Amino acid sequence: MHMPTYRAILKGDRLEWRGKVPPEIAQESAIPVDVTILRDDQLSVSRTAQAGERMAAALERLAISGVGIEDPVAWQRELRRERPLPGRD
């Protein structure tokens, strides 16, 4: 059975929800919870993973949009031609 995971920050005796709030909370019913205290390095890994997921989603939307470069090799050659090279003026 898959148990959903919700992000929150514990401040004193209260949880401050980050992102989606569990639907049970909206009903104001008491629910049992398990809390795992994350060290700062674990939290930064989690943020990095979230950033990666957002980047992947953005790239997927870009790919679906059909916007792109028809001939990437020609585009790169043209781009390099526009740039002055050091010592080759």
Side-chain angles (χ1 to χ4, degrees):
M1 181 172 129
H2 173 69
M3 300 298 292
T5 299
Y6 301 96
R7 296 277 181 198
I9 293 180
L10 179 63
K11 290 186 176 181
D13 63 347
R14 301 192 185 270
L15 289 175
E16 183 178 295
W17 297 105
R18 301 286 188 210
K20 188 176 178 183
V21 177
E24 296 88 352
I25 300 298
Q27 298 171 3
E28 296 184 20
S29 60
I31 58 170
V33 298
D34 293 324
V35 176
T36 302
I37 297 177
L38 300 174
R39 296 186 320 265
D40 285 340
D41 58 333
Q42 290 173 317
L43 185 57
S44 65
V45 168
S46 175
R47 287 183 181 161
T48 302
Q50 290 174 354
E53 290 170 7
R54 287 193 309 270
M55 181 176 54
L59 290 172
E60 186 174 334
R61 287 192 304 274
L62 182 60
I64 291 170
S65 73
V67 174
I69 299 170
E70 290 183 28
D71 185 355
V73 174
W75 173 81
Q76 189 174 29
R77 283 188 187 130
E78 183 64 30
L79 185 66
R80 287 182 178 175
R81 241 182 266 150
E82 295 173 2
R83 180 181 91 195
L85 297 173
R88 297 186 187 184
D89 294 331

